[in-house]
């Protein structure tokens, strides 16, 4: 898994011409969004073959690039710097996840259950083979666990925690884009702030939980970071915002709210920046049209992503008998009771 991620991130880096810290996020984001769509077509089983083929093609491509020697030394050093950070974090995440197991009610009822079901059947929980009461939840995390399981091929529950923590860190990797040769002394502070920020949200939203909330907040946070990194390039900003906010939408139903909030904030910011406050209302129509034209495509695309998933769930529920009966649950698992 480690070598595959580095391999693909280096290939993506050559195409998007960004450092490793951004390319690894880009690869994983595109990968997840694409395979959520593939999973909706009930073709998730092809993922293992895609991994094998893409690895072979990437090795050939990088070997060819190495022979041509068309990469600048500065670029290689910058990528090695990002790989070094990722390697250190990967080892910490791996050691921190050892011997963890499913232990919280919501993990039993959805997060771990859904991941295990997807791994077992190579199908989403919208399929009739899976007895699930949370079919409407977006499947990005379950697809990610399925991907990790291709490499681990194990039923050990600790792999869920390692996999989710790894995804969170990959999402946050672009934060290290601010670290360079001139300010590399700040690297330890960046590392501590980013890696341990989960615990600022309490014991629930941490690396010891399979809840989606921290992955969701990480995707939203990196969206804000992208508005800073690409503040001088609107086209690039919107491309990366689509990836990060798209992840928000496919991680949890409430993700569309966070995506909408950020777009509205940027929309209002552009309206205010175009003219001074005194002339804002005089030129309201022009300002509104300018901001609308800039953010309309991204907003509509994210809404379509959200709507397509929910329509898909409605269609599945219409044709599939939902035989998850809460009345059959013992009192200890009743949904109105708190987990002990």
């Amino acid at each position: 898994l480690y070598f595959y991620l580095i391999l693909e991130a280096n290939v993506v880096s050559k195409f998007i011409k960004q450092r490793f810290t951004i390319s690894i996020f880009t690869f994983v984001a595109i990968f997840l969004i694409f395979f959520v769509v593939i999973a909706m077509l009930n073709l998730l089983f092809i993922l293992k073959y895609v991994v094998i083929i893409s690895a072979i093609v990437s090795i050939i491509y990088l070997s060819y690039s190495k022979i041509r020697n068309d990469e600048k030394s500065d670029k290689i050093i910058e990528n090695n710097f990002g790989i070094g950070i990722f390697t250190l974090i990967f080892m910490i995440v791996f050691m921190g996840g050892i011997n963890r197991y499913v232990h919280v009610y919501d993990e039993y009822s959805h997060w771990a259950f859904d991941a295990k079901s997807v791994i077992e059947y190579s199908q989403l929980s919208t399929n009739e083979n899976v007895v699930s009461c949370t079919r409407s939840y977006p499947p990005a995390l379950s697809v990610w666990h399925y991907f990790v399981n291709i490499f681990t091929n194990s039923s050990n529950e600790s792999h869920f925690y390692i996999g989710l923590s790894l995804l969170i860190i990959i999402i946050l990797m672009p934060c290290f884009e601010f670290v360079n040769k001139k300010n590399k002394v700040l690297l330890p502070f960046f590392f501590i702030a980013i890696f341990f920020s989960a615990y600022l949200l309490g014991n629930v939203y941490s690396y010891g939980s399979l809840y989606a909330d921290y992955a969701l907040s990480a995707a939203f946070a990196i969206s804000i970071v992208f508005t800073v990194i690409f503040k001088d390039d609107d086209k690039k900003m919107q491309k990366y915002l689509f990836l990060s906010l798209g992840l928000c939408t496919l991680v949890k139903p409430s993700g569309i709210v966070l995506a909408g909030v950020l777009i509205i904030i940027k929309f209002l910011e552009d309206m205010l920046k175009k003219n001074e406050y005194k002339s804002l209302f005089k030129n309201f129509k022009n300002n509104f049209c300018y901001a609308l034209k800039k953010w309309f495509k991204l907003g509509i695309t994210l809404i379509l992503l959200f709507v397509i998933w929910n329509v898909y769930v409605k269609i599945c529920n219409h044709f599939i008998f939902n035989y998850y009966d809460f009345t059959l649950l013992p009192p200890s698992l009743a949904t109105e009771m708190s987990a002990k």
Side-chain angles (χ1 to χ4, degrees):
L1 176 62
Y2 166 79
F3 292 109
Y4 179 77
L5 289 172
I6 289 181
L7 177 68
E8 299 303 325
N10 273 287
V11 172
V12 172
S13 178
K14 288 180 175 293
F15 283 96
I16 66 174
K17 303 192 184 307
Q18 298 289 339
R19 293 165 61 183
F20 178 87
T21 49
I22 289 182
S23 67
I24 190 169
F25 164 83
T26 304
F27 166 70
V28 169
I30 294 175
F31 173 90
L32 278 179
I33 293 172
F34 176 74
F35 271 99
V36 164
V37 176
I38 293 298
M40 289 169 64
L41 298 175
N42 210 20
L43 296 172
L44 189 58
F45 66 91
I46 70 171
L47 178 54
K48 62 185 73 175
Y49 304 109
V50 172
V51 168
I52 295 171
I53 294 171
S54 62
I56 295 172
V57 172
S58 297
I59 290 172
I60 294 172
Y61 173 75
L62 289 178
S63 300
Y64 175 72
S65 298
K66 185 70 175 177
I67 293 172
R68 287 183 56 189
N69 197 25
D70 58 354
E71 193 169 26
K72 297 179 181 179
S73 59
D74 289 344
K75 180 74 172 180
I76 296 174
I77 293 172
E78 288 177 351
N79 276 347
N80 288 342
F81 175 75
I83 293 172
I85 295 173
F86 178 70
T87 301
L88 178 60
I89 294 177
F90 186 93
M91 290 189 294
I92 294 175
V93 164
F94 179 80
M95 291 185 292
I98 293 175
N99 293 329
R100 292 193 180 276
Y101 54 88
V102 176
H103 61 284
V104 184
Y105 173 78
D106 279 0
E107 294 177 355
Y108 282 108
S109 64
H110 175 69
W111 301 113
F113 175 82
D114 200 73
K116 288 185 177 183
S117 299
V118 172
I119 292 171
E120 176 69 22
Y121 296 104
S122 294
Q123 296 171 329
L124 299 181
S125 58
T126 50
N127 191 275
E128 61 183 348
N129 293 325
V130 184
V131 185
S132 174
C133 65
T134 52
R135 286 193 172 119
S136 61
Y137 268 58
L141 292 187
S142 295
V143 172
W144 172 256
H145 289 306
Y146 183 86
F147 166 70
V148 173
N149 185 258
I150 290 175
F151 295 89
T152 60
N153 193 28
S154 169
S155 60
N156 192 324
E157 292 179 346
S158 65
H159 295 157
F160 292 138
Y161 296 88
I162 295 171
L164 181 57
S165 298
L166 181 62
L167 175 62
I168 292 168
I169 292 302
I170 289 173
I171 292 173
L172 293 174
M173 279 294 289
C175 293
F176 291 103
E177 189 73 9
F178 297 104
V179 181
N180 52 46
K181 294 179 181 179
K182 296 180 180 179
N183 62 3
K184 60 183 178 182
V185 68
L186 297 175
L187 177 59
F189 300 101
F190 267 83
F191 182 84
I192 293 172
I194 293 169
F195 189 79
F196 293 102
S197 59
Y199 298 100
L200 297 176
L201 301 176
N203 293 327
V204 175
Y205 307 132
S206 68
Y207 298 102
S209 169
L210 290 181
Y211 290 5
D213 300 80
Y214 186 50
L216 175 63
S217 61
F220 180 69
I222 212 62
S223 301
I224 298 173
V225 171
F226 282 139
T227 63
V228 178
I229 295 176
F230 301 109
K231 61 183 178 181
D232 298 323
D233 192 331
D234 289 337
K235 289 185 177 180
K236 280 188 178 180
M237 181 198 297
Q238 297 208 15
K239 288 178 182 178
Y240 286 100
L241 283 180
F242 167 72
L243 295 178
S244 56
L245 295 179
L247 280 183
C248 285
T249 306
L250 294 175
V251 163
K252 199 173 181 182
S254 56
I256 189 64
V257 178
L258 294 178
V261 167
L262 183 60
I263 290 176
I264 291 172
I265 290 173
K266 296 301 293 181
F267 175 86
L268 295 175
E269 180 187 15
D270 283 337
M271 282 189 65
L272 294 174
K273 277 198 308 185
K274 187 165 177 61
N275 291 90
E276 294 194 12
Y277 297 102
K278 292 181 180 180
S279 60
L280 173 63
F281 295 101
K282 293 181 181 179
N283 301 313
F284 179 82
K285 183 179 179 180
N286 292 334
N287 296 342
F288 181 84
C289 291
Y290 165 78
L292 183 64
K293 183 178 179 181
K294 181 176 177 180
W295 295 102
F296 178 78
K297 289 183 180 178
L298 177 60
I300 287 296
T301 304
L302 293 173
I303 291 173
L304 282 175
L305 198 63
F306 177 77
V307 170
I308 288 171
W309 168 252
N310 282 277
V311 169
Y312 171 78
V313 171
K314 292 289 184 183
I315 293 173
C316 290
N317 285 339
H318 181 73
F319 289 104
I320 297 171
F321 176 61
N322 192 350
Y323 43 76
Y324 195 99
D325 190 350
F326 282 102
T327 61
L328 300 178
L329 292 173
S332 60
L333 292 180
T335 54
E336 68 272 9
M337 296 180 64
S338 301
K340 301 297 184 183

